[in-house]
Amino acid sequence: MCDNKKIKSALLSVFYKDGLDEIVQYLSSNGVRIFSTGGTLNFIEKLGVSAQSVESLTGYPSILGGRVKTLHPKVFGGILARRGSSDDGRQLEQYEIPEVDLVIVDLYPFEEAVAQGASESEIIEKIDIGGISLIRAAAKNCNDVAVVASRLQYAELLSMLKENDGGLTPANRKYLATQAFNVSSHYDSAIFSYFNRSEHIPSFKQSVHGAMPLRYGENPHQKAIFYGNFGDMFEQLHGKEISYNNLLDVDAAVRLIREFDEPTFAIIKHNNACGAASRPTLLQAWTAALAGDPVSAFGGVLACNRELDKATAEEVNKLFCEVVIAPAYSSDGLAILKQKKNRIILAAKTFELPAMQSRTLLNGVAVQEQDLSVETEQDMTSVTAAKPTAEQVQDLIFANKLVKHSKSNAIVLAKGSQLIAGGVGQTSRVDALRHAIEKAASFGFSLQGAVMASDAFFPFPDCVEIAHKAGIAAVIQPGGSVNDQKSVDYCNANGVAMVTTGVRHFKH
């Protein structure tokens, strides 16, 4: 590649003008010849800077309602010409095509139009043609030409130009070209995704702008990055850098806490709830959630769905925890939580989670719909002679929400809108149940009158038998086993109420 190249000519055609004035003034002060179009040309001239219209260069006006402005050999020839090629140079001279050393162009806001619910015709008009072509041409010829494809790079470009006395180095130009291809590929992916909503072409494309380095991966020797807009979801008010495991637990906590309308606190450990409770006040919810498993709660991720007040913060502060998530914090409550310098404190914003879920598997990616099913009392089918009481129905709904967000095989035992114990991630459903029963006993809970939720059906009646003998009074499960009737028969013989939902909640 050649050395530092002075910028002698530039083409500017942008949708967003914010921050462009400094660049225009700098280019003008360095004697750079500027070409421009439409609104950008008017903007430049209002700054008192002279510029040549692209129409005067090409001899053609903007046509087809602005669809064709820069698509002309006199524009693209000056961008794509190889400066070291004598043949290219002769053709530029023959056809009176000026060289273009710098291209500053952005793209019509296609994604914004889609997000705002614009009509299809309006969205189609936001598919940029000239801009994307200019970006690709300039990036391809980065040996000789520099390109800026986003207003986010205006300040960076200006800094480069000043550092290099109005020129750009080969490294500068390649870096800018890479950024430009990042912009163009993301743009094309967004357009494809929009069209493919109805066509369903089997092709996976996902492009995410924005990245947040994580403290480390699943283990300290693994590097990790989160690709996404974390700041759109949370404001980090305090604490150290977030790790990969923190992020997994934050995801699990957010998905779980969204299931509840009443004041609720959840304690997440390794993606599973080890404590959860709903109560009239947040402090009561915290106290009940922690009682479920005060041992596992150590080092966990805490999430609630109400402003975290001083009284609750004083109790939370007694526990070592990695992350606290709340929609808001009282000023004195936040001050208390900040007493632990490394504690990550997140204020959750209002945001939507993707409807689809993707996961790398083997040499590819598996994509599925998120499990958004939320079963209510209307979704319950009573299959036993004994019917759950109104209080038990509420506990069954509560337990079913928890088991939905637990690693399979999973069993959840609950009473009074409190997680009594959970058996999660077991290879046997019986083992999951026994683990939950043992855990409940170890923390002094009585299971008399408690309810049980299972993420999948019971292949045999052993689970309901074990649960009944431990004191469980009502059961919720999907149903669907060829042996369902055996479980129903045992419940009928022993006065246990059972309801089915028809919805399995495996989570791996």
Side-chain angles (χ1 to χ4, degrees):
M1 284 193 177
C2 301
D3 296 329
N4 185 338
K5 286 181 180 288
K6 283 277 190 179
I7 301 300
K8 299 176 182 178
S9 59
L11 170 63
L12 281 62
S13 180
V14 298
F15 188 87
Y16 296 105
K17 315 294 190 298
D18 299 343
L20 187 65
D21 53 342
E22 284 191 76
I23 294 175
V24 171
Q25 297 285 11
Y26 183 84
L27 294 176
S28 176
S29 68
N30 279 265
V32 175
R33 184 183 182 186
I34 299 176
F35 302 97
S36 192
T37 63
T40 309
L41 179 62
N42 292 335
F43 176 84
I44 293 170
E45 290 176 337
K46 286 180 180 178
L47 294 174
V49 174
S50 63
Q52 181 179 347
S53 69
V54 167
E55 290 88 346
S56 69
L57 171 66
T58 63
Y60 281 87
S62 172
I63 62 173
L64 306 182
R67 283 189 166 197
V68 181
K69 288 184 284 191
T70 57
L71 296 169
H72 194 280
K74 281 206 170 184
V75 174
F76 282 86
I79 295 171
L80 286 165
R82 292 156 291 193
R83 306 306 193 254
S85 167
S86 57
D87 286 343
D88 286 7
R90 279 194 296 271
Q91 290 183 62
L92 291 185
E93 186 177 350
Q94 178 184 356
Y95 296 108
E96 299 180 333
I97 300 174
E99 292 180 350
V100 176
D101 302 321
L102 171 64
V103 173
I104 301 178
V105 60
D106 59 13
L107 301 170
Y108 292 155
F110 176 84
E111 288 181 283
E112 290 86 341
V114 174
Q116 291 167 5
S119 67
E120 182 166 322
S121 62
E122 291 172 323
I123 290 170
I124 295 299
E125 288 308 311
K126 288 296 185 288
I127 298 176
D128 207 307
I129 304 300
I132 201 80
S133 302
L134 290 168
I135 289 170
R136 291 180 64 84
K140 175 178 179 176
N141 202 24
C142 65
N143 188 53
D144 298 302
V145 178
V147 58
V148 169
S150 167
R151 57 181 166 169
L152 299 177
Q153 291 179 268
Y154 289 173
E156 197 170 21
L157 170 67
L158 191 58
S159 177
M160 289 177 180
L161 289 170
K162 289 179 178 179
E163 286 176 8
N164 295 287
D165 194 25
L168 293 170
T169 67
N172 292 154
R173 294 193 299 273
K174 187 169 184 180
Y175 166 77
L176 292 171
T178 304
Q179 291 280 21
F181 282 125
N182 181 34
V183 170
S184 65
S185 62
H186 178 85
Y187 195 75
D188 284 339
S189 293
I191 295 169
F192 170 78
S193 296
Y194 172 75
F195 277 86
N196 205 40
R197 293 192 300 190
S198 58
E199 300 303 324
H200 306 297
I201 295 170
S203 178
F204 177 77
K205 288 180 174 63
Q206 186 170 16
S207 176
V208 180
H209 278 325
M212 181 177 73
L214 301 175
R215 195 163 73 248
Y216 50 76
E218 206 156 11
N219 299 290
H221 65 275
Q222 295 171 267
K223 294 180 180 179
I225 297 176
F226 170 68
Y227 291 100
N229 297 309
F230 191 79
D232 289 348
M233 301 178 290
F234 304 98
E235 180 183 1
Q236 184 167 348
L237 304 175
H238 183 73
K240 59 187 176 182
E241 228 179 6
I242 294 172
S243 74
Y244 181 89
N245 290 338
N246 290 155
L247 206 57
L248 291 178
D249 283 338
V250 167
D251 178 78
V254 167
R255 293 181 187 278
L256 174 59
I257 206 69
R258 285 186 171 206
E259 301 273 9
F260 299 93
D261 295 321
E262 57 274 30
T264 302
F265 231 115
I267 305 171
I268 303 297
K269 196 71 174 287
H270 297 295
N271 308 152
N272 296 296
C274 62
S278 297
R279 291 290 185 271
T281 70
L282 197 62
L283 177 58
Q284 292 171 336
W286 164 251
T287 303
L290 181 62
D293 188 346
V295 175
S296 296
F298 181 88
V301 169
L302 319 181
C304 62
N305 58 359
R306 294 291 190 279
E307 178 181 289
L308 210 159
D309 55 43
K310 179 183 178 182
T312 308
E314 286 175 338
E315 294 304 311
V316 169
N317 198 44
K318 296 175 182 177
L319 174 75
F320 167 73
C321 58
E322 287 276 338
V323 184
V324 181
I325 307 167
Y329 299 83
S330 67
S331 57
D332 44 8
L334 181 60
I336 291 168
L337 294 175
K338 283 184 174 181
Q339 290 173 6
K340 304 294 173 63
K341 68 175 184 178
N342 288 327
R343 177 183 286 151
I344 298 166
I345 303 176
L346 301 177
K349 301 178 182 180
T350 300
F351 62 94
E352 293 299 321
L353 291 168
M356 303 300 291
Q357 182 180 37
S358 58
R359 186 175 183 176
T360 57
L361 295 176
L362 301 173
N363 67 349
V365 177
V367 179
Q368 68 169 355
E369 296 175 338
Q370 296 279 6
D371 183 358
L372 301 177
S373 179
V374 180
E375 290 75 54
T376 65
E377 184 175 0
Q378 287 68 42
D379 300 305
M380 298 178 184
T381 300
S382 182
V383 294
T384 54
K387 309 302 178 189
T389 65
E391 184 178 355
Q392 287 172 342
V393 167
Q394 293 308 305
D395 281 344
L396 290 170
I397 293 172
F398 177 86
N400 199 50
K401 289 176 179 178
L402 291 174
V403 85
K404 168 186 170 180
H405 293 275
S406 302
K407 296 287 187 181
S408 300
N409 288 311
I411 292 288
V412 163
L413 307 179
K415 185 177 181 181
S417 296
Q418 178 186 22
L419 171 60
I420 301 301
V424 299
Q426 300 298 310
T427 53
S428 159
R429 194 158 303 281
V430 171
D431 286 346
L433 174 57
R434 285 177 173 155
H435 177 67
I437 292 171
E438 291 171 7
K439 197 171 183 181
S442 71
F443 292 113
F445 285 105
S446 169
L447 292 176
Q448 295 300 317
V451 306
M452 173 174 72
S454 175
D455 63 339
F457 63 60
F458 302 117
F460 305 102
D462 46 6
C463 278
V464 292
E465 180 179 354
I466 295 168
H468 163 250
K469 290 179 178 178
I472 297 298
V475 177
I476 184 170
Q477 55 120 343
S481 168
V482 294
N483 288 325
D484 271 354
Q485 192 57 46
K486 293 181 180 180
S487 293
V488 171
D489 290 343
Y490 181 89
C491 288
N492 282 333
N494 293 277
V496 177
M498 180 188 286
V499 299
T500 59
T501 64
V503 181
R504 190 181 74 182
H505 287 299
F506 266 169
K507 187 170 185 282
H508 293 93

